Amino acid sequence: MNDPILEVVSVSKKFVTAEGDITILRDVNLQINAGEKVAIIGPSGSGKSTLLSILGLLDTPSTGLVKFSGQDLSNLGEAEQAKTRNKKIGFIFQSFELISSFTARENIVAPVEIAGDAVDQVDLQELMTELGISKRSQALPATLSGGEKQRVAIGRALFHKPDIIFADEPTGSLDRITGEKVIDLLLDSVSNRGTTLVLITHDESLASKMDRVFVIQDKCLHERS
């Protein structure tokens, strides 16, 4: 049996403050297989974004370990973790996080160029057409609508062909109709490519579109049956 693409083993996260330690996550265990679409839900302040940061190698757990394709990443240095993150992981954020001085096209290809890889112009054009933003390729983020910005962010997450994409409330800054169109586009895109998707959301209707749903409750993670 193949190793899961992502495995979390007994992960906890606490912060040290002047008033004492604050535990955000406690003994989290999780396995995600390649190609799965997984939602992690919970109320505001429950630790969803903290968990996403740990899964995406943007933060380190206080205890426990994270395995990516069977490899324990806890012993990797910052440079190696950054290399893994840039090559194998895509991110989509609620606030888009586009580079304001870059065109839509430049934002999409940024991870590839940062890695020093060649940009496949045919793949780029096909992706922008798929996302419905080919006519906006030279536009700056300030001139794009919210839906267009998130389409660019999806393109950036997909273009370097990551193994897994982490999306943190990707429709949170969009109106309902635009959000539904964007999430359907994202789901179609990852399904067509066999890309694993981990989605953080508080939206039950969005979570219902995923293969599996996990809930953070009382600092612990539980799979919903």
Side-chain angles (χ1 to χ4, degrees), residues 131-161:
L131 297 175
I133 51 174
S134 57
K135 294 182 179 179
R136 303 291 278 153
S137 64
Q138 298 305 312
L140 293 173
T143 70
L144 299 174
S145 68
E148 289 172 334
K149 289 177 183 177
Q150 201 59 295
R151 288 168 186 254
V152 172
I154 291 170
R156 179 183 57 193
L158 286 169
F159 185 60
H160 64 294
K161 298 180 174 65

PDB file of all heavy atoms in Angstrom, residues 131-161:
ATOM      1  N   LEU A 131      -9.093  29.012 -16.661  1.00  0.00           N
ATOM      2  CA  LEU A 131      -9.543  29.819 -15.522  1.00  0.00           C
ATOM      3  C   LEU A 131     -10.322  31.061 -15.948  1.00  0.00           C
ATOM      4  O   LEU A 131     -10.812  31.806 -15.098  1.00  0.00           O
ATOM      5  CB  LEU A 131      -8.335  30.237 -14.673  1.00  0.00           C
ATOM      6  CG  LEU A 131      -7.550  29.100 -14.022  1.00  0.00           C
ATOM      7  CD1 LEU A 131      -6.315  29.642 -13.312  1.00  0.00           C
ATOM      8  CD2 LEU A 131      -8.422  28.320 -13.048  1.00  0.00           C
ATOM      9  N   GLY A 132     -10.424  31.294 -17.253  1.00  0.00           N
ATOM     10  CA  GLY A 132     -11.188  32.430 -17.756  1.00  0.00           C
ATOM     11  C   GLY A 132     -10.531  33.770 -17.549  1.00  0.00           C
ATOM     12  O   GLY A 132     -11.214  34.801 -17.421  1.00  0.00           O
ATOM     13  N   ILE A 133      -9.199  33.807 -17.521  1.00  0.00           N
ATOM     14  CA  ILE A 133      -8.490  35.066 -17.280  1.00  0.00           C
ATOM     15  C   ILE A 133      -7.456  35.372 -18.365  1.00  0.00           C
ATOM     16  O   ILE A 133      -6.605  36.237 -18.176  1.00  0.00           O
ATOM     17  CB  ILE A 133      -7.784  35.072 -15.901  1.00  0.00           C
ATOM     18  CG1 ILE A 133      -6.923  33.808 -15.731  1.00  0.00           C
ATOM     19  CG2 ILE A 133      -8.807  35.195 -14.776  1.00  0.00           C
ATOM     20  CD1 ILE A 133      -6.096  33.810 -14.460  1.00  0.00           C
ATOM     21  N   SER A 134      -7.538  34.693 -19.499  1.00  0.00           N
ATOM     22  CA  SER A 134      -6.534  34.908 -20.547  1.00  0.00           C
ATOM     23  C   SER A 134      -6.539  36.353 -21.057  1.00  0.00           C
ATOM     24  O   SER A 134      -5.491  36.899 -21.402  1.00  0.00           O
ATOM     25  CB  SER A 134      -6.752  33.938 -21.712  1.00  0.00           C
ATOM     26  OG  SER A 134      -8.044  34.074 -22.248  1.00  0.00           O
ATOM     27  N   LYS A 135      -7.711  36.972 -21.078  1.00  0.00           N
ATOM     28  CA  LYS A 135      -7.786  38.355 -21.560  1.00  0.00           C
ATOM     29  C   LYS A 135      -7.330  39.363 -20.514  1.00  0.00           C
ATOM     30  O   LYS A 135      -7.209  40.552 -20.803  1.00  0.00           O
ATOM     31  CB  LYS A 135      -9.218  38.672 -21.999  1.00  0.00           C
ATOM     32  CG  LYS A 135      -9.667  37.879 -23.223  1.00  0.00           C
ATOM     33  CD  LYS A 135     -11.081  38.259 -23.641  1.00  0.00           C
ATOM     34  CE  LYS A 135     -11.511  37.482 -24.880  1.00  0.00           C
ATOM     35  NZ  LYS A 135     -12.905  37.821 -25.300  1.00  0.00           N
ATOM     36  N   ARG A 136      -7.080  38.892 -19.305  1.00  0.00           N
ATOM     37  CA  ARG A 136      -6.637  39.776 -18.222  1.00  0.00           C
ATOM     38  C   ARG A 136      -5.188  39.502 -17.828  1.00  0.00           C
ATOM     39  O   ARG A 136      -4.729  39.920 -16.764  1.00  0.00           O
ATOM     40  CB  ARG A 136      -7.538  39.573 -17.001  1.00  0.00           C
ATOM     41  CG  ARG A 136      -9.012  39.806 -17.269  1.00  0.00           C
ATOM     42  CD  ARG A 136      -9.298  41.277 -17.519  1.00  0.00           C
ATOM     43  NE  ARG A 136      -9.421  42.000 -16.255  1.00  0.00           N
ATOM     44  CZ  ARG A 136      -9.153  43.297 -16.118  1.00  0.00           C
ATOM     45  NH1 ARG A 136      -8.684  43.987 -17.134  1.00  0.00           N
ATOM     46  NH2 ARG A 136      -9.321  43.886 -14.950  1.00  0.00           N
ATOM     47  N   SER A 137      -4.444  38.810 -18.679  1.00  0.00           N
ATOM     48  CA  SER A 137      -3.099  38.354 -18.326  1.00  0.00           C
ATOM     49  C   SER A 137      -2.142  39.495 -18.022  1.00  0.00           C
ATOM     50  O   SER A 137      -1.216  39.336 -17.228  1.00  0.00           O
ATOM     51  CB  SER A 137      -2.520  37.482 -19.437  1.00  0.00           C
ATOM     52  OG  SER A 137      -2.348  38.235 -20.630  1.00  0.00           O
ATOM     53  N   GLN A 138      -2.346  40.665 -18.641  1.00  0.00           N
ATOM     54  CA  GLN A 138      -1.437  41.790 -18.428  1.00  0.00           C
ATOM     55  C   GLN A 138      -1.970  42.798 -17.415  1.00  0.00           C
ATOM     56  O   GLN A 138      -1.367  43.852 -17.203  1.00  0.00           O
ATOM     57  CB  GLN A 138      -1.165  42.495 -19.768  1.00  0.00           C
ATOM     58  CG  GLN A 138      -0.478  41.612 -20.800  1.00  0.00           C
ATOM     59  CD  GLN A 138       0.817  41.022 -20.280  1.00  0.00           C
ATOM     60  OE1 GLN A 138       1.664  41.724 -19.721  1.00  0.00           O
ATOM     61  NE2 GLN A 138       0.979  39.710 -20.446  1.00  0.00           N
ATOM     62  N   ALA A 139      -3.085  42.467 -16.786  1.00  0.00           N
ATOM     63  CA  ALA A 139      -3.683  43.385 -15.815  1.00  0.00           C
ATOM     64  C   ALA A 139      -2.988  43.284 -14.464  1.00  0.00           C
ATOM     65  O   ALA A 139      -2.561  42.209 -14.042  1.00  0.00           O
ATOM     66  CB  ALA A 139      -5.169  43.086 -15.663  1.00  0.00           C
ATOM     67  N   LEU A 140      -2.883  44.408 -13.778  1.00  0.00           N
ATOM     68  CA  LEU A 140      -2.361  44.430 -12.418  1.00  0.00           C
ATOM     69  C   LEU A 140      -3.475  44.085 -11.432  1.00  0.00           C
ATOM     70  O   LEU A 140      -4.659  44.330 -11.710  1.00  0.00           O
ATOM     71  CB  LEU A 140      -1.787  45.808 -12.092  1.00  0.00           C
ATOM     72  CG  LEU A 140      -0.527  46.219 -12.872  1.00  0.00           C
ATOM     73  CD1 LEU A 140      -0.175  47.672 -12.579  1.00  0.00           C
ATOM     74  CD2 LEU A 140       0.643  45.311 -12.546  1.00  0.00           C
ATOM     75  N   PRO A 141      -3.127  43.526 -10.267  1.00  0.00           N
ATOM     76  CA  PRO A 141      -4.151  43.125  -9.302  1.00  0.00           C
ATOM     77  C   PRO A 141      -5.139  44.227  -8.929  1.00  0.00           C
ATOM     78  O   PRO A 141      -6.325  43.937  -8.708  1.00  0.00           O
ATOM     79  CB  PRO A 141      -3.314  42.688  -8.093  1.00  0.00           C
ATOM     80  CG  PRO A 141      -2.055  42.178  -8.697  1.00  0.00           C
ATOM     81  CD  PRO A 141      -1.781  43.090  -9.854  1.00  0.00           C
ATOM     82  N   ALA A 142      -4.674  45.476  -8.873  1.00  0.00           N
ATOM     83  CA  ALA A 142      -5.557  46.569  -8.469  1.00  0.00           C
ATOM     84  C   ALA A 142      -6.712  46.775  -9.437  1.00  0.00           C
ATOM     85  O   ALA A 142      -7.746  47.358  -9.076  1.00  0.00           O
ATOM     86  CB  ALA A 142      -4.760  47.866  -8.343  1.00  0.00           C
ATOM     87  N   THR A 143      -6.574  46.290 -10.667  1.00  0.00           N
ATOM     88  CA  THR A 143      -7.618  46.460 -11.678  1.00  0.00           C
ATOM     89  C   THR A 143      -8.500  45.223 -11.820  1.00  0.00           C
ATOM     90  O   THR A 143      -9.414  45.215 -12.641  1.00  0.00           O
ATOM     91  CB  THR A 143      -6.991  46.795 -13.049  1.00  0.00           C
ATOM     92  OG1 THR A 143      -6.305  45.640 -13.558  1.00  0.00           O
ATOM     93  CG2 THR A 143      -6.021  47.962 -12.932  1.00  0.00           C
ATOM     94  N   LEU A 144      -8.234  44.190 -11.036  1.00  0.00           N
ATOM     95  CA  LEU A 144      -8.998  42.945 -11.129  1.00  0.00           C
ATOM     96  C   LEU A 144     -10.127  42.910 -10.104  1.00  0.00           C
ATOM     97  O   LEU A 144     -10.006  43.470  -9.009  1.00  0.00           O
ATOM     98  CB  LEU A 144      -8.082  41.741 -10.886  1.00  0.00           C
ATOM     99  CG  LEU A 144      -6.919  41.538 -11.862  1.00  0.00           C
ATOM    100  CD1 LEU A 144      -6.030  40.384 -11.376  1.00  0.00           C
ATOM    101  CD2 LEU A 144      -7.415  41.277 -13.268  1.00  0.00           C
ATOM    102  N   SER A 145     -11.204  42.245 -10.443  1.00  0.00           N
ATOM    103  CA  SER A 145     -12.277  42.015  -9.475  1.00  0.00           C
ATOM    104  C   SER A 145     -11.823  40.963  -8.472  1.00  0.00           C
ATOM    105  O   SER A 145     -10.809  40.283  -8.672  1.00  0.00           O
ATOM    106  CB  SER A 145     -13.539  41.534 -10.194  1.00  0.00           C
ATOM    107  OG  SER A 145     -13.335  40.224 -10.727  1.00  0.00           O
ATOM    108  N   GLY A 146     -12.603  40.798  -7.396  1.00  0.00           N
ATOM    109  CA  GLY A 146     -12.256  39.784  -6.402  1.00  0.00           C
ATOM    110  C   GLY A 146     -12.208  38.393  -7.000  1.00  0.00           C
ATOM    111  O   GLY A 146     -11.291  37.608  -6.728  1.00  0.00           O
ATOM    112  N   GLY A 147     -13.205  38.074  -7.836  1.00  0.00           N
ATOM    113  CA  GLY A 147     -13.223  36.756  -8.465  1.00  0.00           C
ATOM    114  C   GLY A 147     -12.030  36.546  -9.384  1.00  0.00           C
ATOM    115  O   GLY A 147     -11.455  35.449  -9.429  1.00  0.00           O
ATOM    116  N   GLU A 148     -11.650  37.588 -10.122  1.00  0.00           N
ATOM    117  CA  GLU A 148     -10.488  37.487 -11.002  1.00  0.00           C
ATOM    118  C   GLU A 148      -9.203  37.306 -10.201  1.00  0.00           C
ATOM    119  O   GLU A 148      -8.326  36.517 -10.583  1.00  0.00           O
ATOM    120  CB  GLU A 148     -10.395  38.725 -11.894  1.00  0.00           C
ATOM    121  CG  GLU A 148     -11.458  38.789 -12.969  1.00  0.00           C
ATOM    122  CD  GLU A 148     -11.476  40.106 -13.719  1.00  0.00           C
ATOM    123  OE1 GLU A 148     -11.050  41.139 -13.145  1.00  0.00           O
ATOM    124  OE2 GLU A 148     -11.945  40.118 -14.868  1.00  0.00           O
ATOM    125  N   LYS A 149      -9.085  38.021  -9.089  1.00  0.00           N
ATOM    126  CA  LYS A 149      -7.895  37.865  -8.245  1.00  0.00           C
ATOM    127  C   LYS A 149      -7.767  36.433  -7.740  1.00  0.00           C
ATOM    128  O   LYS A 149      -6.673  35.856  -7.742  1.00  0.00           O
ATOM    129  CB  LYS A 149      -7.970  38.825  -7.053  1.00  0.00           C
ATOM    130  CG  LYS A 149      -7.776  40.288  -7.402  1.00  0.00           C
ATOM    131  CD  LYS A 149      -7.934  41.166  -6.166  1.00  0.00           C
ATOM    132  CE  LYS A 149      -7.815  42.635  -6.518  1.00  0.00           C
ATOM    133  NZ  LYS A 149      -8.049  43.514  -5.333  1.00  0.00           N
ATOM    134  N   GLN A 150      -8.899  35.843  -7.320  1.00  0.00           N
ATOM    135  CA  GLN A 150      -8.816  34.478  -6.800  1.00  0.00           C
ATOM    136  C   GLN A 150      -8.547  33.482  -7.921  1.00  0.00           C
ATOM    137  O   GLN A 150      -7.893  32.454  -7.691  1.00  0.00           O
ATOM    138  CB  GLN A 150     -10.088  34.120  -6.038  1.00  0.00           C
ATOM    139  CG  GLN A 150      -9.922  32.967  -5.062  1.00  0.00           C
ATOM    140  CD  GLN A 150      -8.863  33.213  -4.000  1.00  0.00           C
ATOM    141  OE1 GLN A 150      -7.672  33.334  -4.313  1.00  0.00           O
ATOM    142  NE2 GLN A 150      -9.290  33.303  -2.756  1.00  0.00           N
ATOM    143  N   ARG A 151      -8.994  33.758  -9.126  1.00  0.00           N
ATOM    144  CA  ARG A 151      -8.661  32.904 -10.266  1.00  0.00           C
ATOM    145  C   ARG A 151      -7.159  32.958 -10.554  1.00  0.00           C
ATOM    146  O   ARG A 151      -6.549  31.927 -10.874  1.00  0.00           O
ATOM    147  CB  ARG A 151      -9.461  33.324 -11.502  1.00  0.00           C
ATOM    148  CG  ARG A 151     -10.931  32.979 -11.427  1.00  0.00           C
ATOM    149  CD  ARG A 151     -11.730  33.672 -12.525  1.00  0.00           C
ATOM    150  NE  ARG A 151     -13.160  33.446 -12.348  1.00  0.00           N
ATOM    151  CZ  ARG A 151     -13.892  32.619 -13.091  1.00  0.00           C
ATOM    152  NH1 ARG A 151     -13.325  31.927 -14.061  1.00  0.00           N
ATOM    153  NH2 ARG A 151     -15.178  32.478 -12.871  1.00  0.00           N
ATOM    154  N   VAL A 152      -6.585  34.135 -10.437  1.00  0.00           N
ATOM    155  CA  VAL A 152      -5.134  34.265 -10.600  1.00  0.00           C
ATOM    156  C   VAL A 152      -4.415  33.488  -9.499  1.00  0.00           C
ATOM    157  O   VAL A 152      -3.431  32.779  -9.749  1.00  0.00           O
ATOM    158  CB  VAL A 152      -4.707  35.753 -10.587  1.00  0.00           C
ATOM    159  CG1 VAL A 152      -3.174  35.872 -10.565  1.00  0.00           C
ATOM    160  CG2 VAL A 152      -5.263  36.479 -11.806  1.00  0.00           C
ATOM    161  N   ALA A 153      -4.925  33.591  -8.275  1.00  0.00           N
ATOM    162  CA  ALA A 153      -4.319  32.863  -7.155  1.00  0.00           C
ATOM    163  C   ALA A 153      -4.415  31.352  -7.364  1.00  0.00           C
ATOM    164  O   ALA A 153      -3.477  30.608  -7.043  1.00  0.00           O
ATOM    165  CB  ALA A 153      -4.997  33.263  -5.844  1.00  0.00           C
ATOM    166  N   ILE A 154      -5.533  30.888  -7.921  1.00  0.00           N
ATOM    167  CA  ILE A 154      -5.673  29.469  -8.236  1.00  0.00           C
ATOM    168  C   ILE A 154      -4.661  29.079  -9.309  1.00  0.00           C
ATOM    169  O   ILE A 154      -4.009  28.033  -9.229  1.00  0.00           O
ATOM    170  CB  ILE A 154      -7.113  29.152  -8.691  1.00  0.00           C
ATOM    171  CG1 ILE A 154      -8.081  29.298  -7.517  1.00  0.00           C
ATOM    172  CG2 ILE A 154      -7.199  27.742  -9.275  1.00  0.00           C
ATOM    173  CD1 ILE A 154      -9.545  29.230  -7.912  1.00  0.00           C
ATOM    174  N   GLY A 155      -4.520  29.936 -10.316  1.00  0.00           N
ATOM    175  CA  GLY A 155      -3.536  29.673 -11.357  1.00  0.00           C
ATOM    176  C   GLY A 155      -2.128  29.583 -10.813  1.00  0.00           C
ATOM    177  O   GLY A 155      -1.354  28.689 -11.190  1.00  0.00           O
ATOM    178  N   ARG A 156      -1.791  30.479  -9.903  1.00  0.00           N
ATOM    179  CA  ARG A 156      -0.459  30.449  -9.284  1.00  0.00           C
ATOM    180  C   ARG A 156      -0.255  29.155  -8.501  1.00  0.00           C
ATOM    181  O   ARG A 156       0.830  28.565  -8.525  1.00  0.00           O
ATOM    182  CB  ARG A 156      -0.301  31.649  -8.349  1.00  0.00           C
ATOM    183  CG  ARG A 156       1.036  31.716  -7.613  1.00  0.00           C
ATOM    184  CD  ARG A 156       1.065  32.886  -6.656  1.00  0.00           C
ATOM    185  NE  ARG A 156      -0.026  32.809  -5.692  1.00  0.00           N
ATOM    186  CZ  ARG A 156      -0.392  33.823  -4.907  1.00  0.00           C
ATOM    187  NH1 ARG A 156       0.219  34.977  -4.981  1.00  0.00           N
ATOM    188  NH2 ARG A 156      -1.402  33.667  -4.051  1.00  0.00           N
ATOM    189  N   ALA A 157      -1.299  28.705  -7.805  1.00  0.00           N
ATOM    190  CA  ALA A 157      -1.191  27.474  -7.014  1.00  0.00           C
ATOM    191  C   ALA A 157      -1.049  26.245  -7.898  1.00  0.00           C
ATOM    192  O   ALA A 157      -0.408  25.272  -7.509  1.00  0.00           O
ATOM    193  CB  ALA A 157      -2.416  27.333  -6.115  1.00  0.00           C
ATOM    194  N   LEU A 158      -1.644  26.276  -9.098  1.00  0.00           N
ATOM    195  CA  LEU A 158      -1.658  25.103  -9.970  1.00  0.00           C
ATOM    196  C   LEU A 158      -0.483  25.030 -10.934  1.00  0.00           C
ATOM    197  O   LEU A 158      -0.060  23.930 -11.308  1.00  0.00           O
ATOM    198  CB  LEU A 158      -2.948  25.097 -10.803  1.00  0.00           C
ATOM    199  CG  LEU A 158      -4.252  24.729 -10.110  1.00  0.00           C
ATOM    200  CD1 LEU A 158      -5.435  25.049 -11.020  1.00  0.00           C
ATOM    201  CD2 LEU A 158      -4.261  23.257  -9.728  1.00  0.00           C
ATOM    202  N   PHE A 159       0.045  26.180 -11.355  1.00  0.00           N
ATOM    203  CA  PHE A 159       0.918  26.201 -12.531  1.00  0.00           C
ATOM    204  C   PHE A 159       2.196  25.391 -12.364  1.00  0.00           C
ATOM    205  O   PHE A 159       2.683  24.778 -13.322  1.00  0.00           O
ATOM    206  CB  PHE A 159       1.252  27.642 -12.928  1.00  0.00           C
ATOM    207  CG  PHE A 159       2.041  27.729 -14.206  1.00  0.00           C
ATOM    208  CD1 PHE A 159       1.524  27.221 -15.387  1.00  0.00           C
ATOM    209  CD2 PHE A 159       3.304  28.287 -14.228  1.00  0.00           C
ATOM    210  CE1 PHE A 159       2.246  27.277 -16.572  1.00  0.00           C
ATOM    211  CE2 PHE A 159       4.036  28.348 -15.404  1.00  0.00           C
ATOM    212  CZ  PHE A 159       3.505  27.844 -16.583  1.00  0.00           C
ATOM    213  N   HIS A 160       2.762  25.366 -11.169  1.00  0.00           N
ATOM    214  CA  HIS A 160       4.016  24.623 -11.000  1.00  0.00           C
ATOM    215  C   HIS A 160       3.774  23.137 -10.698  1.00  0.00           C
ATOM    216  O   HIS A 160       4.688  22.410 -10.327  1.00  0.00           O
ATOM    217  CB  HIS A 160       4.900  25.258  -9.917  1.00  0.00           C
ATOM    218  CG  HIS A 160       4.313  25.240  -8.534  1.00  0.00           C
ATOM    219  ND1 HIS A 160       3.194  25.954  -8.178  1.00  0.00           N
ATOM    220  CD2 HIS A 160       4.697  24.590  -7.396  1.00  0.00           C
ATOM    221  CE1 HIS A 160       2.928  25.754  -6.900  1.00  0.00           C
ATOM    222  NE2 HIS A 160       3.820  24.929  -6.406  1.00  0.00           N
ATOM    223  N   LYS A 161       2.508  22.716 -10.902  1.00  0.00           N
ATOM    224  CA  LYS A 161       2.127  21.300 -10.789  1.00  0.00           C
ATOM    225  C   LYS A 161       2.479  20.716  -9.411  1.00  0.00           C
ATOM    226  O   LYS A 161       3.198  19.725  -9.290  1.00  0.00           O
ATOM    227  CB  LYS A 161       2.776  20.471 -11.892  1.00  0.00           C
ATOM    228  CG  LYS A 161       2.350  20.885 -13.300  1.00  0.00           C
ATOM    229  CD  LYS A 161       3.033  20.035 -14.352  1.00  0.00           C
ATOM    230  CE  LYS A 161       2.493  20.348 -15.748  1.00  0.00           C
ATOM    231  NZ  LYS A 161       2.791  21.731 -16.178  1.00  0.00           N
TER     232      LYS A 161
END
